[in-house]
C-alpha cells in the first residue's frame, strides 16, 4: 500500500519557550534531585550539604545511563582522592612549602592520567586531583581535620548520587541506547555510501575520510554508559563497540577499493591481480556491513554481538606528559603567588584553581575551558548574590529555599541542553559555581563579608589560571597535531607494528581512527586542512593495508606457500610499491603451482602496493571529490 508521507512523518516534539519537552523534563529532574539531596543533607546535619547539591549539578546528564556511569566514577575517584589527601597531609603537613610542591605534583600526575583516558574515566582522574584540592588544600592549616572532612564529602556525594538515581528512576529518565543506535545507523549509511562510490571508482577526499573517522571514534566514550543503564547493558556495550570497529574496518576497505586502478590501465598480469583484490575487497565490505547490521540489532535487543571487538583508545604519552607537567607548574606558580602575597584564607581560591586545572584537562582545549570559567564565575557570583540577598533575604525555611532555587536551577539546566558547546559549558559551570558561592546550609548564613570574600576568590581563581596559561601556554593544537602525526609515522616505520601489534587488524584500525579523532579535535574538525588530512589518512591507509597483509600471510604461511609468504613479509618491510607487487605475483604463481588458494593474501598485498604508491595514494587530497 502507498504510504501517506504526512501521516508517516515523525510527530513534532512539544516546544515551550523555545525548548522541547525533553529539555524541560531534564531540568525538572535536576531541580528535584537537587532539592532531595539538600533536604537529606540538612536532615542528616552534614558538615557540607552543598556538596550533595554540587554532585547533582555535576551528574546533570539527560539519560539514566550517562548519569549513573559518571556517578560510579565520581564515587571511585572520591575514595582515591580521600586516601591521597590523608597520605599527603600525614606525610607533608609540617613541611611548609614542600607540601605545596607535592600538591602540584599530584595535580600534574592526575592531569597526566586524564590525558591517557577519555570520557568519564578521564573525569575520574581529574576528580582525584579535585578531591585532594577540596580536602587537603582547604584543611592545609588543620591536617587533623582531613579525615573527617573526607568522610563528610564522601557522605554528601553518596547522597547526591542516590538522589539522582532515585529521581531518574521515578520520573523515568530516558535510556540512551536508542539514541546511540540511531547515531551508529546514520554513520553506517555514510560508510555504505562511501563504499558505493568506491564501486564506481570515485575516491573520496582525505578530509571526507578523516571527518567520517572522527565522527565514528567520537562515539566511543559514550558507549560505556550503556553498562549502567540496565541489567543487559554489558551486552549492549559490546554490541555498540563491535559496530564501531566494523564501521572503521568497512571504511578502510572502501578506501582500498576506491584506490585500485582501472583494469584497462594495467598490464594483463597486473590486471588479474587487481581483479582478485577488487573481488576480495567487495566480499569483505559486504561481510563488514552485515556485521554492523547484526551489531545494531544486538544493540537494540540487548543481546551479545556475533563478534565482540575491542575498541582501543590511542594514548599519546608524550602529549599527556607535557600537559601534566604544565598543569603541575601552573598550580605551583599560583601557590607561590599566594605565599608571597601573604593573603589570609586563600585555601578556597587555591582549591578552585586545582578544580579548574583538573576539569580543563578533560577538555580538548584547556585554555578555552579556562576562558569559559572566567566568564562563568562572575555570572555565578551575581546569581548567588541575587538569591541570597534579594530572593531569600534572611529566610531559613526549606520550602522557600526550594522555590527560590527553581528559576536558577531550571534555567541553567535548560541552558545545558542547548546544542552549542559554548552555551552548554557556560550553563553547567555557572550552575556549579553558583552553588559553590551560595553554599546552602541549615541555617543559611547571610554574612555579607563572607559572601564578598568567597565571590572574590572564586573569580580570582579562574583569572589566575588564565594568567598562568598565558605565562606557560598549554600545548597548542598545531603542536598536538605534529606530535600525533610523528607518532603515526614512527609506528608505520616499525616492522612489528608498534604498540598495536597484539591487536586484530580491525581493532588496530579503530585505534588509528581514535588518533585521527584526536588530530582533528586539536584544532576543531572545521579547521582541518588538506595537507594535514592527507598525511593522516595516508598513514591510516598504509597501516591498515600492512596489518591486513600480515594477518593474511600468517594464514597461508605454513606448508607449500611458506617461502613465498616469507618473501612477501620481507617485501612489506621495504615499503616499496613495486617490490610488494612483485611479491604478490610470486605468491600467486606459487599458489597456482600448489593448487592452493591465497586470494585474501594476494588481495591484501595488492592493496598495500597501491597504498605505498605516491602517485596513486588515496589520501591525496588534491584528487578526489568532496562531499
Amino acid at each position: 500500500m502507498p504510504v501517506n508521507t504526512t501521516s508517516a512523518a515523525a510527530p513534532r516534539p512539544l516546544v515551550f519557550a523555545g525548548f522541547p519537552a525533553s529539555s524541560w523534563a531534564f531540568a525538572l529532574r535536576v531541580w528535584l534531585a537537587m532539592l532531595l539531596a539538600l533536604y537529606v543533607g540538612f536532615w542528616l546535619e552534614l558538615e557540607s550539604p552543598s556538596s550533595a547539591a554540587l554532585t547533582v549539578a555535576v551528574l546533570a546528564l539527560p539519560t539514566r545511563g550517562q548519569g549513573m556511569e559518571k556517578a560510579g566514577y565520581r564515587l571511585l575517584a572520591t575514595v582515591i582522592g580521600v586516601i591521597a589527601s590523608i597520605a599527603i597531609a600525614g606525610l607533608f603537613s609540617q613541611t611548609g612549602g614542600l607540601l605545596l610542591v607535592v600538591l602540584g605534583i599530584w595535580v600534574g600526575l592526575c592531569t597526566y592520567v586524564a590525558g591517557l583516558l577519555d570520557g568519564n574515566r578521564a573525569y575520574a582522574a581529574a576528580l582525584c586531583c579535585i578531591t585532594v584540592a577540596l580536602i587537603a588544600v582547604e584543611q592545609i592549616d588543620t591536617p587533623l581535620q582531613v579525615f573527617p572532612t573526607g568522610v563528610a564529602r564522601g557522605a554528601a556525594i553518596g547522597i547526591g548520587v542516590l538522589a539522582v538515581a532515585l529521581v531518574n528512576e521515578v520520573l523515568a529518565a530516558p535510556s540512551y541506547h536508542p539514541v546511540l543506535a540511531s547515531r551508529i545507523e546514520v554513520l553506517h549509511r555514510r560508510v555504505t555510501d562511501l563504499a558505493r562510490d568506491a564501486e564506481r571508482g570515485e575516491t573520496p577526499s582525505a578530509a571526507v575520510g578523516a571527518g567520517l573517522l572522527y565522527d565514528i571514534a567520537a562515539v566511543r566514550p559514550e558507549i560505556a554508559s550503556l553498562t549502567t543503564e540496565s541489567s543487559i547493558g554489558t551486552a549492549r556495550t559490546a554490541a555498540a563497540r563491535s559496530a564501531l570497529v566494523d564501521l572503521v574496518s568497512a571504511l578502510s576497505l572502501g578506501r582500498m577499493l576506491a584506490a585500485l586502478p582501472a583494469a584497462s590501465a594495467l598490464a594483463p598480469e597486473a590486471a588479474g591481480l587487481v581483479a582478485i583484490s577488487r573481488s576480495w575487497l567487495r566480499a569483505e565490505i559486504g561481510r563488514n556491513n552485515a556485521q554492523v547490521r547484526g551489531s545494531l540489532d544486538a544493540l537494540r535487543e540487548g543481546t551479545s554481538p556475533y563478534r565482540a571487538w575491542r575498541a582501543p583508545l590511542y594514548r599519546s604519552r608524550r602529549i599527556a606528559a607535557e600537559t601534566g607537567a604544565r598543569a603541575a607548574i601552573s598550580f605551583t606558580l599560583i601557590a607561590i603567588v599566594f605565599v608571597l602575597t601573604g593573603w589570609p584564607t586563600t585555601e578556597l581560591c587555591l582549591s578552585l584553581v586545582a578544580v579548574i586545572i583538573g576539569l580543563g584537562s578533560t577538555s580538548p582545549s584547556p585554555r578555552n575551558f579556562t576562558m569559559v570559567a572566567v566568564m562563568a564565575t562572575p555570572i555565578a557570583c551575581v546569581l548567588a548574590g541575587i538569591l541570597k540577598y534579594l530572593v531569600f533575604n534572611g529566610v531559613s525555611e526549606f520550602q522557600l529555599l526550594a522555590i527560590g532555587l527553581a528559576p536558577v536551577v531550571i534555567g541553567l539546566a535548560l541552558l545545558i541542553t542547548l546544542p552549542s558547546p559554548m552555551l552548554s559549558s557556560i550553563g553547567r559551570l555557572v550552575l556549579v559555581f553558583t552553588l559553590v558561592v551560595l553554599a546552602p546550609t541549615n541555617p543559611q548564613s547571610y554574612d555579607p563579608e563572607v559572601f564578598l570574600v568567597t565571590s572574590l576568590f572564586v573569580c580570582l581563581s579562574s583569572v589566575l589560571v588564565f594568567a598562568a596559561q598565558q605565562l606557560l601556554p598549554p600545548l597548542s593544537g598545531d603542536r598536538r597535531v605534529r606530535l600525533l602525526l610523528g607518532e603515526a609515522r614512527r609506528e608505520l616505520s616499525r616492522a612489528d607494528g608498534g604498540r598495536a601489534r597484539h591487536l586484530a587488524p580491525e581493532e588496530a584500525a579503530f585505534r588509528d581512527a581514535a588518533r585521527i579523532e584526536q588530530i582533528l579535535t586539536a584544532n576543531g574538525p572545521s579547521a582541518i586542512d588538506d595537507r594535514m588530512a592527507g598525511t593522516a589518512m595516508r598513514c591510516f591507509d598504509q597501516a591498515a593495508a600492512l596489518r591486513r597483509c600480515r594477518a593474511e600471510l600468517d594464514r597461508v604461511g605454513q606448508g607449500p606457500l611458506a617461502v613465498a609468504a616469507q618473501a612477501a613479509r620481507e617485501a612489506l618491510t621495504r615499503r616499496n610499491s613495486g617490490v610488494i607487487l612483485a611479491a604478490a605475483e610470486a605468491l600467486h604463481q606459487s599458489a597456482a603451482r600448489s593448487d592452493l588458494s591465497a586470494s585474501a593474501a594476494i588481495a591484501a598485498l595488492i592493496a598495500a602496493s597501491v597504498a605505498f604508491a605516491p602517485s596513486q595514494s588515496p589520501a591525496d587530497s588534491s584528487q578526489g571529490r568532496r562531499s
Side-chain angles (χ1 to χ4, degrees):
M1 293 178 60
V3 179
N4 188 310
T5 56
T6 303
S7 62
R12 296 181 61 184
L14 296 176
V15 177
F16 178 73
F19 292 92
S22 59
S23 296
W24 285 101
F26 165 71
L28 181 62
R29 291 196 303 270
V30 173
W31 176 61
L32 291 176
M34 192 171 294
L35 293 183
L36 178 59
L38 281 175
Y39 183 83
V40 174
F42 291 159
W43 180 57
L44 295 177
E45 298 182 354
L46 295 181
E47 177 184 338
S48 179
S50 61
S51 295
L54 278 170
T55 297
V56 175
V58 170
L59 300 181
L61 293 166
T63 64
R64 180 171 57 250
Q66 289 174 306
M68 292 311 299
E69 187 215 4
K70 194 170 187 179
Y73 280 114
R74 184 170 177 82
L75 290 172
L76 175 62
T78 298
V79 172
I80 297 174
V82 169
I83 295 173
S85 299
I86 295 172
I88 292 174
L91 295 174
F92 301 100
S93 60
Q94 304 298 325
T95 59
L98 181 59
L99 174 60
L100 295 177
V101 174
V102 171
L103 289 172
I105 293 174
W106 177 257
V107 169
L109 178 62
C110 292
T111 303
Y112 168 76
V113 176
L116 298 178
L117 303 173
D118 67 339
N120 285 325
R121 295 188 299 167
Y123 165 75
L127 187 59
C128 292
C129 155
I130 293 170
T131 302
V132 170
L134 295 176
I135 297 176
V137 174
E138 290 199 8
Q139 303 297 330
I140 196 170
D141 296 325
T142 55
L144 295 179
Q145 294 298 314
V146 168
F147 180 76
T149 301
V151 172
R153 175 172 170 79
I157 290 176
I159 291 172
V161 169
L162 291 176
V164 171
L166 179 61
V167 171
N168 283 345
E169 192 65 30
V170 171
L171 296 184
S175 297
Y176 189 54
H177 73 270
V179 177
L180 192 59
S182 298
R183 290 183 59 185
I184 296 176
E185 191 170 9
V186 171
L187 292 171
H188 185 211
R189 285 198 294 268
R190 292 172 60 188
V191 172
T192 303
D193 290 342
L194 185 145
R196 189 178 298 113
D197 293 341
E199 287 280 356
R200 297 194 296 263
E202 300 179 12
T203 304
S205 68
V208 171
L212 186 49
L213 287 176
Y214 169 88
D215 292 337
I216 296 172
V219 180
R220 180 190 182 278
E222 303 177 26
I223 62 178
S225 64
L226 300 180
T227 303
T228 57
E229 193 170 75
S230 64
S231 58
I232 55 176
T234 302
R236 283 194 167 120
T237 300
R241 186 183 299 117
S242 297
L244 294 180
V245 173
D246 284 323
L247 280 176
V248 172
S249 179
L251 174 61
S252 172
L253 293 168
R255 289 181 59 81
M256 292 180 189
L257 179 60
L260 291 178
S264 59
L266 300 171
E269 299 81 4
L273 297 177
V274 169
I276 293 174
S277 182
R278 181 173 284 109
S279 176
W280 179 78
L281 288 172
R282 287 171 177 165
E284 286 294 298
I285 292 172
R287 183 178 63 84
N288 276 122
N289 286 331
Q291 289 178 347
V292 173
R293 289 191 291 269
S295 296
L296 281 172
D297 292 339
L299 172 59
R300 294 188 178 97
E301 298 169 3
T303 58
S304 298
Y306 175 75
R307 176 71 180 268
W309 293 116
R310 292 175 292 175
L313 174 69
Y314 180 77
R315 295 179 174 90
S316 174
R317 290 172 172 78
R318 173 71 177 275
I319 292 177
E322 291 196 21
T323 303
R326 282 171 163 80
I329 295 172
S330 297
F331 179 85
T332 305
L333 288 176
I334 295 173
I336 292 173
V337 170
F338 284 132
V339 172
L340 295 178
T341 56
W343 292 343
T345 64
T346 57
E347 294 86 356
L348 174 63
C349 187
L350 191 58
S351 62
L352 289 177
V353 165
V355 169
I356 295 173
I357 292 176
L359 292 179
S361 66
T362 65
S363 171
S365 176
R367 179 177 290 180
N368 290 342
F369 178 86
T370 304
M371 292 177 63
V372 173
V374 170
M375 292 185 290
T377 47
I379 298 174
C381 293
V382 171
L383 288 177
I386 292 174
L387 286 174
K388 186 182 285 284
Y389 295 106
L390 295 181
V391 177
F392 300 149
N393 194 23
V395 303
S396 57
E397 292 81 1
F398 184 80
Q399 297 86 343
L400 297 178
L401 175 66
I403 296 173
L405 283 175
V408 172
V409 174
I410 293 177
L412 293 175
L414 289 173
L415 198 62
I416 292 173
T417 64
L418 291 176
S420 170
M422 174 67 73
L423 294 177
S424 179
S425 299
I426 289 177
R428 188 176 298 278
L429 287 180
V430 170
L431 179 59
V432 169
F433 284 119
T434 299
L435 294 173
V436 170
V437 178
L438 183 62
T441 57
N442 186 23
Q444 182 69 32
S445 171
Y446 290 95
D447 188 341
E449 182 179 352
V450 173
F451 174 78
L452 289 176
V453 171
T454 301
S455 300
L456 172 63
F457 284 149
V458 167
C459 295
L460 183 61
S461 61
S462 59
V463 172
L464 287 175
V465 175
F466 182 76
Q469 290 177 346
Q470 298 302 311
L471 183 64
L472 184 65
L475 278 179
S476 66
D478 291 338
R479 176 159 174 76
R480 287 174 181 264
V481 170
R482 289 195 299 271
L483 290 174
L484 290 168
L485 290 178
E487 292 169 0
R489 294 190 188 97
R490 285 193 294 273
E491 281 193 8
L492 188 61
S493 65
R494 298 191 187 118
D496 60 357
R499 294 172 184 164
R501 60 184 178 274
H502 299 304
L503 299 173
E506 294 84 354
E507 295 169 338
F510 186 89
R511 178 177 175 271
D512 289 346
R515 175 165 49 203
I516 290 178
E517 188 259 343
Q518 294 173 21
I519 290 173
L520 269 64
T521 303
N523 287 313
S526 60
I528 186 172
D529 56 54
D530 290 342
R531 181 180 178 184
M532 180 178 69
T535 303
M537 291 306 297
R538 180 171 176 79
C539 291
F540 174 82
D541 293 334
Q542 292 177 347
L546 286 175
R547 295 189 190 103
R548 291 276 181 178
C549 288
R550 294 191 184 104
E552 298 301 335
L553 288 173
D554 288 342
R555 293 188 178 96
V556 300
Q558 304 297 327
L561 302 181
V563 175
Q566 181 59 33
R569 293 191 189 95
E570 295 174 357
L572 290 173
T573 62
R574 299 178 62 178
R575 309 293 195 265
N576 183 278
S577 175
V579 175
I580 297 174
L581 182 61
E585 175 63 28
L587 180 61
H588 178 62
Q589 294 176 359
S590 180
R593 288 193 299 269
S594 303
D595 197 21
L596 296 173
S597 175
S599 298
I602 295 169
L605 287 169
I606 295 300
S609 70
V610 174
F612 283 95
S615 61
Q616 299 179 16
S617 171
D620 188 359
S621 58
S622 63
Q623 301 174 5
R625 62 177 181 84
R626 297 186 177 274
S627 63

